[in-house]
Amino acid sequence: VNRTPVAVGLDIGGTNLRAGLVAADGTLLTRRTAHNPAPRRSGDDAEDALVDAIVAAWKDLGSNLPLGVGIASLVRSGGHLLGGPNIGVHDLELGDRLRTATGTSVTVANDATVAVWGEHRAGAATGLDDVVLVTVGTGVGGGVVTGGRLLFGATGVASELGHIVVCADGRRCPCGARGCLEAYASGRSIGAIASERAAEGGLSGALAGRAEITGQDVTEAAAAGDEEAALLLAEAGRWLGIGIGSLVNVFDPAVVLIGGGAGQAAGDWLLPAARDALTPQLIERERRRIPPVRLATLGDDAGMVGAGLLATQT
Amino acid sequence: VNRTPVAVGLDIGGTNLRAGLVAADGTLLTRRTAHNPAPRRSGDDAEDALVDAIVAAWKDLGSNLPLGVGIASLVRSGGHLLGGPNIGVHDLELGDRLRTATGTSVTVANDATVAVWGEHRAGAATGLDDVVLVTVGTGVGGGVVTGGRLLFGATGVASELGHIVVCADGRRCPCGARGCLEAYASGRSIGAIASERAAEGGLSGALAGRAEITGQDVTEAAAAGDEEAALLLAEAGRWLGIGIGSLVNVFDPAVVLIGGGAGQAAGDWLLPAARDALTPQLIERERRRIPPVRLATLGDDAGMVGAGLLATQT
């Protein structure tokens, strides 16, 4: 173990800005949680508030340490945010803004990308060089380590694993396309599908007759013993397994990790169904090694840990 | 240009064994074509005949140069063939057998994997470090270069791009799964779909009333002006575009190449339809860079060139 502080890692979502002082071994030595101020503002005001909040967290924790930021957005190489549905800004040169404001080395990447780096370096995939992480939260995200390196792609926006097609011409995805994995297996989609079933009168248990059911409602009902809720989660898990089947054929990972708030909360229902659906999709399934599908272990810390460790490498 | 011979590259399919003497710049200085002797034999006899044919081609071309082999099989790291539907052997330690027989350094990999390496080093993707190649032949294969390195995965069998799901619970794929890209867009699938349409009486043009239509028949009919055949190819191209959409969201490549015999022959119909179907599947399609989809340029040479150049690196 090496508990020397080496970087400040931030994980920024639509609601929270989590900041941690990261040690060389991936331990979080100190942590702070603030609100992401951007979503309630607009334009330059939102951008300035976001930059100020990041710089304040960095100063508070680390003086001149390198700064790593994971954020719920497509991020071009160098740190240009293309935008995400929830973070309140788009088309922002966040990397450049932070380099100017801090004078330190800055790394900005997608939140699931830094999370898989955290799990690879200090979590559920320590010692494994080929890792697929699927994050199931409001949406479905992903990060990939292949041959010991993060997958970034030509412009930096690779590993959008929630937007592989599982059912062409199928359900509309928030991204605007049809049939994406996210349209079937995200927390939001699980809630939407439950709401549709309830509206059609197709449910008779705890969720019957309810409007605007959330993914969390479904998980809570399943945890309380409602069989329809458990089946809704198993359906989502089946879609997840089909998508993971594609990803295993593509990446041949040593392990598939499921992270994200909904993934962690509903893992008891999602994972068994995903494993059942995975194997029949694999080429040469009788002779190949089938990777385990299991929960990520760093939870909400994965982004901070991964962002911090990534910042020390550049 | 550097025309010094550096390796012997082989490309082995169900029918042919192609061998070439590869120069440092990727040029093929000499080439030979023989038959793959394995498919008409069985067991040890097939294995021995395959090894002997490879060693003979290597001796004929290169005396003691490194040997690279691309073969239509899943190949584990080190050169263990899991097997492919057409090559006549499975569960064969081909790498070890060839190292013993030749005494030189030997690299064995999947045929599409070596082909993308050839295109990356000396073909349509020269200078680009993030490349997806989809080969459309009897089946659908693939190879991926990411960050300048080949994608192999934890055990070596990554980049089976024909076996991403495009339509869950859809058409049966030769791999045994349902809804794979290969089940809609391979030469064999194009022929099978055309045969089904003809059997249902759904065709009135050049393919009407015919049994056992092949993909090549469909391409020839389209080339002769048959509109139904052109539509069948455009349908396959649409599926190809949907699959490529998933792959672009996953890999963010600088270019997507289409190779393989059927891909090259039917490119005039497949590619426009694939491009049309691709864009609507991409996340942040208004703001991201959308990679070009174009034909590979090395044709049947890609495997030899890539296998040879890969052999010089190990």
Side-chain angles (χ1 to χ4, degrees), chain A residues 48-221:
Chain A
D48 293 346
L50 178 64
V51 170
D52 290 349
I54 294 171
V55 173
W58 171 76
K59 281 191 178 155
D60 188 30
L61 282 171
S63 73
N64 281 315
L65 290 172
L67 169 61
V69 177
I71 188 160
S73 166
L74 269 76
V75 182
R76 282 217 185 103
S77 313
H80 176 97
L81 304 190
L82 286 188
N86 304 315
I87 53 161
V89 295
H90 61 86
D91 268 324
L92 170 62
E93 291 288 357
L94 183 62
D96 288 347
R97 292 278 300 266
L98 293 173
R99 277 175 212 109
T100 302
T102 64
T104 191
S105 78
V106 173
T107 303
V108 183
N110 172 266
D111 55 351
T113 296
V114 300
V116 76
W117 194 246
E119 297 287 348
H120 162 66
R121 291 287 305 276
T126 309
L128 300 177
D129 280 344
D130 296 273
V131 186
V132 168
L133 168 68
V134 179
T135 59
V136 182
T138 307
V140 174
V144 178
V145 173
T146 173
R149 302 196 312 177
L150 274 172
L151 177 68
F152 282 113
T155 70
V157 303
S159 81
E160 285 293 339
L161 307 186
H163 303 279
I164 57 172
V165 171
V166 290
C167 182
D169 310 314
R171 287 183 68 86
R172 180 71 69 183
C173 182
C175 79
R178 284 195 179 275
C180 298
L181 176 57
E182 177 168 313
Y184 294 88
S186 69
R188 182 165 39 198
S189 297
I190 293 168
I193 292 166
S195 301
E196 290 166 20
R197 298 273 168 83
E200 292 160 0
L203 298 178
S204 58
L207 300 170
R210 289 177 56 180
E212 304 201 11
I213 301 168
T214 66
Q216 194 178 338
D217 294 334
V218 178
T219 301
E220 285 171 5

Side-chain angles (χ1 to χ4, degrees), chain A residues 74 76 82-85 90-91 130 144 146-161 163-169 175-180 238-239 242 245-254 280-285 287-289, chain B residues 74 76 82-85 90-91 130 144 146-161 163-169 175-180 238-239 242 245-254 280-285 287-289:
Chain A
L74 269 76
R76 282 217 185 103
L82 286 188
H90 61 86
D91 268 324
D130 296 273
V144 178
T146 173
R149 302 196 312 177
L150 274 172
L151 177 68
F152 282 113
T155 70
V157 303
S159 81
E160 285 293 339
L161 307 186
H163 303 279
I164 57 172
V165 171
V166 290
C167 182
D169 310 314
C175 79
R178 284 195 179 275
C180 298
R238 176 177 174 271
W239 288 110
I242 290 170
S246 293
L247 296 170
V248 171
N249 284 328
V250 167
F251 286 111
D252 180 25
Q281 294 299 142
L282 300 183
I283 188 166
E284 293 291 344
R285 55 195 161 278
R287 281 178 274 189
R288 72 180 295 146
R289 185 174 172 279
Chain B
L74 269 76
R76 281 218 186 102
L82 286 188
H90 62 86
D91 268 325
D130 296 274
V144 178
T146 172
R149 302 196 315 177
L150 274 172
L151 178 69
F152 282 112
T155 70
V157 303
S159 81
E160 285 292 339
L161 307 186
H163 303 278
I164 57 172
V165 171
V166 291
C167 182
D169 309 314
C175 79
R178 284 194 178 275
C180 299
R238 175 177 174 271
W239 288 110
I242 290 169
S246 293
L247 296 170
V248 171
N249 284 328
V250 167
F251 287 111
D252 181 25
Q281 294 299 142
L282 299 183
I283 187 166
E284 293 291 344
R285 54 196 161 280
R287 280 178 274 190
R288 73 181 294 146
R289 184 174 170 280

Side-chain angles (χ1 to χ4, degrees), chain B residues 60-77:
Chain B
D60 188 31
L61 282 170
S63 74
N64 282 315
L65 289 172
L67 169 61
V69 177
I71 187 160
S73 166
L74 269 76
V75 182
R76 281 218 186 102
S77 313

Side-chain angles (χ1 to χ4, degrees), chain B residues 14 29 72 202:
Chain B
L29 302 170

